[in-house]
Amino acid sequence: MGEERIVALEDVSLTFEKGKIYCLLGTSGSGKSTLLNMLAGLEKPTKGSIIFMGKQLEKLNETQLALYRQRYVGFVFQSYNLLPTLTALENVTLPLTFRKVKKRERIKKAKVMLKAVGLAHRWRHKPSELSGGQQQRVSIARAFINDPQVVFADEPTGNLDTRTTFEMMDLIIGIARERQQTLVIVTHDTEIAQYADQVIRIKDGSVESILEQRATMPGEAVIDEPEPTNMNHETGTGGTENETIVYG
């Protein structure tokens, strides 16, 4: 910005394993959302690598990144991001439409997903006719409809009341666990962080600590000792200091 150099992320080296639940925890401005955007292929780093299933995302062009997100990634947003002119069913089928799935098949799959999130009876309704919790259920159904390898949830309960928050978290975690999908949650809420297998605390663009958790049920976590945050080591995937973020 002018002559001022803004560092959003620095000295970040992480590995994300398939089928685990992760939480990027930090205050506003800590860099957690920037990290999520890079993992999702929405932004590119000025230095370093982001590796998914052997491919370096920062080297892909926009068309390749769009295909990556279409095939491998699902999103749950704080503001739901539903198209207001479409019904719940039509919103959920959108990812399948882009993948050119036949209409009969995508409607069938979307109805199954809406039933799984408890909205089998509301599939004809538009977003304006649904509560905040119901809109987020539609968003969750849309995120999982493509059976993605990774689901990114950016403050997924930020607009919900406490009771609905835990209902939505139980739902997201339950689907991800059942399907053995990797889930990366961005939040500032320590209660939401309890749902994760690993909590990565971000502060001032760097990893402050990594906490391993063991939870037999959503929200019931036992926290192990934090891992050291010295990033001057290899990632174990062939990456070197400050160069590799690996997941998949």
Side-chain angles (χ1 to χ4, degrees):
M1 298 178 65
E3 296 182 357
E4 184 179 3
R5 182 170 179 261
I6 306 297
V7 180
L9 292 170
E10 188 173 30
D11 294 334
V12 174
S13 182
L14 299 166
T15 298
F16 295 81
E17 298 177 14
K18 180 178 174 59
K20 290 186 69 173
I21 312 296
Y22 295 89
C23 175
L24 303 179
L25 180 66
T27 59
S28 178
S30 62
K32 60 186 187 298
S33 291
T34 299
L35 178 55
L36 180 141
N37 288 342
M38 289 188 179
L39 296 176
L42 297 172
E43 297 182 26
K44 292 186 178 183
T46 52
K47 181 181 179 182
S49 297
I50 304 167
I51 301 174
F52 176 81
M53 296 176 66
K55 294 183 178 181
Q56 292 180 248
L57 298 188
E58 76 282 356
K59 292 185 177 181
L60 301 182
N61 59 38
E62 289 305 316
T63 299
Q64 292 169 324
L65 285 171
L67 289 173
Y68 155 71
R69 290 190 292 269
Q70 183 186 106
R71 294 173 181 172
Y72 301 112
V73 174
F75 293 95
V76 180
F77 302 96
Q78 177 179 347
S79 56
Y80 322 133
N81 284 18
L82 302 178
L83 295 183
T85 58
L86 301 184
T87 64
L89 181 71
E90 291 166 338
N91 269 286
V92 175
T93 60
L94 271 180
L96 298 177
T97 302
F98 292 130
R99 293 188 67 174
K100 299 182 180 179
V101 175
K102 291 183 179 179
K103 184 176 181 179
R104 180 177 296 180
E105 182 180 349
R106 65 178 184 253
I107 289 175
K108 181 179 179 181
K109 288 192 69 173
K111 285 185 176 180
V112 170
M113 280 305 308
L114 285 169
K115 182 178 180 181
V117 299
L119 287 179
H121 61 300
R122 304 299 297 272
W123 63 270
R124 293 185 179 89
H125 291 71
K126 293 182 179 179
S128 61
E129 300 169 320
L130 301 172
S131 67
Q134 289 171 334
Q135 289 184 61
Q136 192 62 298
R137 287 175 185 269
V138 175
S139 175
I140 292 168
R142 181 184 59 191
F144 284 95
I145 190 71
N146 265 344
D147 295 319
Q149 294 279 338
V150 186
V151 174
F152 296 106
D154 191 359
E155 297 283 6
T157 61
N159 289 339
L160 305 175
D161 59 52
T162 301
R163 178 181 175 181
T164 309
T165 287
F166 291 118
E167 288 178 358
M168 293 304 103
M169 287 306 303
D170 289 344
L171 184 58
I172 296 171
I173 298 295
I175 296 175
R177 295 279 193 208
E178 180 182 354
R179 300 183 176 200
Q180 284 294 295
Q181 291 161 309
T182 306
L183 176 63
V184 181
I185 305 166
V186 164
T187 187
H188 65 278
D189 191 336
T190 55
E191 288 190 303
I192 299 301
Q194 292 181 23
Y195 284 82
D197 299 316
Q198 187 179 98
V199 179
I200 302 162
R201 188 179 289 272
I202 308 293
K203 183 178 181 181
D204 297 331
S206 298
V207 176
E208 183 180 43
S209 65
I210 299 176
L211 299 179
E212 295 287 345
Q213 299 186 151
R214 301 186 302 274
T216 55
M217 294 182 66
E220 296 182 0
V222 179
I223 301 177
D224 293 336
E225 290 298 317
E227 294 183 7
T229 57
N230 178 15
M231 292 302 161
N232 297 322
H233 64 275
E234 294 191 358
T235 62
T237 58
T240 56
E241 178 182 349
N242 305 332
E243 288 186 350
T244 308
I245 299 172
V246 183
Y247 62 110

